[in-house]
Structures are given as C-alpha cells and as structure tokens.
Amino acid sequence: MFKIRNTPEINNSSQQLFSLKNKICVVTGGSSGIGLSVVESFASMGGNVIIIYNSTPVDKIAIEIEKKYNVKIDYFKCNLSLVEEIENLFDLIIKKYNKIDVLVANAGIGWNNGGINDFKSHEELIQNWEKFIKIDLSSVYYCCAFIGKIFEKQGYGSLILTASMSANVINIPQLQTPYNVAKAGVKQMAKSLAIEWSSIGNGKIRVNSVSPGYVKTKLTGKMDPTLTDKWCQLTPLGRMALPQEISGAYVYLASDASSYTTGTDIVVDGGYSCV
Ligand code: NAD
C-alpha cells in the first residue's frame, strides 16, 4: 500500500511546466552524442547544466552553450567506472551548488560485444562481459545510490536513466547480449527505484528511463556502414535518429510537466520496437 497524498495545485501553462529555470541539472556522458544534445536542450529551457565528462574536454562547448542561452554551464571530470570518483563527484557538486534537481545517468559504451560462443579464453569471456556490465549497468547503479541520498535529503528530484530499445527487443543482426542485459537492467533499475523512493516526503522524487533506437552519435559512427543500412531497413521510419530527436523526452522528464510520471520508460526508436 502506498501513502495517500493531497493533489497539488498545478498551473496549465506549458511554457512554465516545461521550463527548467533555476534547476541544477547534471548530465553524465554530456560531452558528446545524446548527452550533449540533452545538455543543450536543458539549457534552451533555462536550466543550469553540469556536464560530466571523461576524456573529451568540454570547456569550449560549455562557453558556447552558456552564451547562447544565458545559463550557467559547468563541468566536472569523472571516470564513472570508479565508485570513489562517483562519490567524490556528487560531494563536489553539492558543495558548490547545494542541490541537484535533475540527474541524467546517460554515459555508456557501445554494443559490439561479439557472440557468447566466440571467446577463446576465460580472460576474454570475463572481460567481454564485465566491461559492458561495469559501465552500462554498475556505474549507473552507483550514480543512483549517491543521488538517492541527495534526493532523500532534499525531498525532491528527477532521475533519468538512458536505457535503450535493446532493453525491450533484440537488435538483429548484432551479437550484443552483455549490452542488452545491461540496458534491460537499467530500465528495471528505474522502475525499482521509482517505487523504492515513492514513499519519501511529498512524492516529489521521480525516476524514469529513456530508450532510444539507433541514433547518429560517436558510438554508432564506429559501425560498418552495411550494418547501419540494415538498421534503417529494420526501422519503420527508415532512418537513424539525430540526438536532437531524443532529447525532448529528457526535457519532459526533467521538468514539472512530468510531475505525475514515474517508473516509466519512454521509447524513442522510430517504431523499431513495434514490429
Ligand atoms: P557517445 O559515445 O557519444 O556518448 C557516450 C558518453 O559516455 C561519452 O561522452 C563518454 O565519454 C561517456 N563515458 C563512457 N564511459 C565513461 C566512463 N567510464 N566515465 C565517464 N564517462 C564515460 O554515445 P551516445 O550514443 O550518445 O550514448 C549515450 C547513451 O545512449 C549510452 O548509454 C548508450 O548506450 C545509449 N544509447 C545509444 C544509442 C545510439 O544508437 N547511439 C541507442 C540506445 C542507447
């Protein structure tokens, strides 16, 4: 049984509901691809954004976006495969900004995993599994653990996890079981935490995931073009998405427009999962 709560007053202006003004939004993997597009979309809605990056420097991008939208864009370096670095990251952000309204746990690595029968040694077998689980699943869980304490203390917050359509369907012709398993875990993590945190405060902590289909980013850019042609043939809308076609779902989930949305996965895949 869940707590019964009073219905809040909500205004009907979409402009206000979707606004991210005065919000502090943190985006992991924010230096490229889907994450970078989310950063710019948040900024365009008035959000102050903190980019978490690993290797690619983001100082120039940050200045550009800051000037374009007149918001604050900050950045912190963090290797999300290390739990100590994640803990330190959230400590530093809270020391500097006192709050986090939105966390997008988006960083991840690609899915060219090979088949389960292809391994030639125990080392190769273990490495191929653990590499993907470590970044695409465990690092997301650790980010959730540290943001959870912050949200609990604040009594509010929106957590958005980047899953994938691979959480729901099997992409053909790739062999990518570790990636699919990790992303299915991420989707289920969002649902589990939505329920786990629903009892806190006034019901203002929400957790959701976004499941993109094939998107033109660095990650897919590494793939053989004959493979990308196949992806387009298998996608009802007949093409790959641009990152900007994915980031609107994140704006909705980050903003007050989604105050009654929790435990949901938003699929943005050009219809791939329908067939
Ligand atoms: P991308 O390569 O542009 O972005 C991935 C980001 O994750 C990079 O900025 C990278 O620096 C960061 N990252 C990776 N390992 C890290 C680590 N150890 N520490 C810190 N940061 C790290 O690719 P993208 O397509 O924008 O991917 C973003 C997310 O979207 C990923 O989780 C990916 O699985 C997911 N996704 C992508 C697609 C697609 O078709 N591109 C489809 C579904 C889901």
Side-chain angles (χ1 to χ4, degrees):
M1 291 293 187
F2 297 104
K3 246 191 228 173
I4 293 182
R5 298 185 172 106
N6 295 329
T7 307
E9 294 276 319
I10 308 268
N11 79 55
N12 208 14
S13 148
S14 287
Q15 221 163 13
Q16 279 181 34
L17 284 175
F18 282 89
S19 168
L20 298 178
K21 208 161 177 241
N22 300 322
K23 291 197 194 282
I24 301 288
C25 311
V26 179
V27 182
T28 74
S31 62
S32 61
I34 296 169
L36 179 56
S37 180
V38 169
V39 170
E40 184 156 2
S41 294
F42 282 3
S44 74
M45 297 308 290
N48 301 303
V49 192
I50 300 169
I51 300 174
I52 309 307
Y53 71 103
N54 190 18
S55 44
T56 323
V58 287
D59 45 345
K60 285 193 187 118
I61 301 172
I63 293 169
E64 247 173 59
I65 300 177
E66 209 166 47
K67 272 196 192 146
K68 192 167 168 189
Y69 299 104
N70 196 23
V71 292
K72 171 92 187 138
I73 306 289
D74 202 350
Y75 44 89
F76 289 83
K77 191 172 167 57
C78 180
N79 180 354
L80 295 163
S81 64
L82 302 171
V83 71
E84 301 77 15
E85 285 206 18
I86 300 175
E87 182 172 31
N88 188 42
L89 170 75
F90 286 108
D91 282 350
L92 290 173
I93 296 175
I94 286 298
K95 269 195 194 113
K96 193 163 173 187
Y97 292 96
N98 274 316
K99 66 162 190 167
I100 297 173
D101 296 275
V102 179
L103 171 67
V104 178
N106 162 76
I109 56 171
W111 54 74
N112 205 7
N113 307 167
I116 194 168
N117 292 344
D118 296 341
F119 70 90
K120 296 185 181 58
S121 64
H122 286 176
E123 287 73 27
E124 207 181 297
L125 172 69
I126 293 166
Q127 205 237 353
N128 196 35
W129 171 252
E130 292 191 345
K131 183 167 99 183
F132 292 96
I133 297 302
K134 193 171 190 176
I135 301 296
D136 289 335
L137 185 62
S138 301
S139 85
V140 180
Y141 186 71
Y142 302 141
C143 286
C144 292
F146 294 110
I147 199 68
K149 288 198 188 301
I150 294 167
F151 283 180
E152 184 174 30
K153 209 164 160 196
Q154 296 176 166
Y156 63 85
S158 172
L159 171 59
I160 308 165
L161 310 183
T162 299
S164 166
M165 69 176 179
S166 314
N168 307 310
V169 293
I170 305 305
N171 315 50
I172 44 176
Q174 298 110 279
L175 301 171
Q176 52 172 54
T177 299
Y179 181 84
N180 295 347
V181 170
K183 291 299 185 181
V186 167
K187 184 181 154 190
Q188 189 64 353
M189 201 184 300
K191 287 188 186 299
S192 303
L193 295 177
I195 302 309
E196 199 169 320
W197 295 341
S198 64
S199 59
I200 300 172
N202 290 330
K204 289 191 174 158
I205 301 179
R206 301 179 297 101
V207 191
N208 296 285
S209 55
V210 176
S211 284
Y214 291 116
V215 189
K216 288 190 180 196
T217 65
K218 257 195 329 206
L219 196 144
T220 47
K222 291 176 198 149
M223 304 290 172
D224 167 2
T226 56
L227 191 59
T228 51
D229 284 351
K230 282 205 183 87
W231 295 343
C232 296
Q233 283 165 10
L234 290 164
T235 302
L237 291 187
R239 62 178 177 85
M240 292 174 72
L242 291 171
Q244 304 90 290
E245 296 179 289
I246 311 296
S247 49
Y250 291 82
V251 171
Y252 167 68
L253 292 173
S255 70
D256 296 345
S258 61
S259 53
Y260 200 58
T261 305
T262 197
T264 288
D265 181 51
I266 300 187
V267 180
V268 192
D269 68 353
Y272 190 103
S273 318
C274 292
V275 286

